[in-house]
Amino acid sequence: MLRIGHGYDVHQLVEGRHCIIGGVDIPHERGLLGHSDADVLAHALADAILGACRGGDIGKLFPDTDPAYEGADSLKLLSAVMGYARERGYEFVDADCTIACQEPKISPYRDAMRANLSAALGVPVESVGVKATTTEHLGWEGEGKGIGAWAVCLLDQR
């Protein structure tokens, strides 16, 4: 049985933090605020996977109130989410992800993001799509206040 999942995440841009998106530490004057490394793309994809296997959301498995996850590497969390889905009998088929931000520019890092996400999931890089939009200076993303990400994925129940 095929199952579709959708995920969405957002993190505020602040000074004094790294800007980690899709496991890539992008040079930028501001970074993403969060309990973990705040990798907005990995979080959105994790939520999409959890949605497809009806496992809740990333906060259910890794609560931001638990000190064990403070500063956590979100690619490791994504890998654990995929392990959770596999334990429930699901295999990853495909995903498509979109990042919304005015800056930093995503295109120079897109291939590295795809490689990082696919490695964390244990799937071919061709199974993970990543793209970006600037929102043309509209909304909080366009104003540079934060970065949002959406992901959809397809899982197959064995």
Side-chain angles (χ1 to χ4, degrees):
M1 173 190 326
L2 295 174
R3 289 261 178 97
I4 297 171
H6 176 262
Y8 171 71
D9 196 43
V10 60
H11 286 279
Q12 183 180 0
L13 280 166
V14 297
E15 292 184 12
R17 293 275 301 197
H18 287 269
C19 188
I20 299 170
I21 305 173
V24 178
D25 193 344
I26 300 173
H28 193 56
E29 66 271 5
R30 293 178 296 149
L32 295 169
L33 180 63
H35 185 66
S36 66
D37 64 7
D39 186 332
V40 67
L41 181 56
H43 294 178
L45 185 51
D47 272 348
I49 292 165
L50 287 167
C53 73
R54 309 305 188 250
D57 58 43
I58 194 169
K60 178 181 174 185
L61 292 181
F62 311 108
D64 63 6
T65 55
D66 188 335
Y69 303 117
E70 186 171 353
D73 179 338
S74 294
L75 289 180
K76 290 181 181 176
L77 300 180
L78 178 61
S79 182
V81 163
M82 194 61 235
Y84 174 85
R86 285 186 175 114
E87 288 171 6
R88 296 180 73 159
Y90 291 91
E91 191 49 60
F92 188 89
V93 176
D94 196 65
D96 188 37
C97 309
T98 304
I99 304 160
C101 61
Q102 197 61 45
E103 56 182 41
K105 291 294 181 195
I106 299 301
S107 60
Y109 309 102
R110 189 180 74 85
D111 289 340
M113 291 176 186
R114 291 180 65 217
N116 290 342
L117 295 170
S118 65
L121 297 168
V123 301
V125 70
E126 295 80 19
S127 298
V128 181
V130 173
K131 58 193 177 301
T133 184
T134 64
T135 73
E136 302 295 331
H137 297 279
L138 296 174
W140 52 265
E141 303 102 326
E143 294 170 2
K145 294 179 180 178
I147 296 177
W150 294 262
V152 292
C153 77
L154 183 65
L155 300 183
D156 189 7
Q157 190 173 28
R158 290 180 248 136

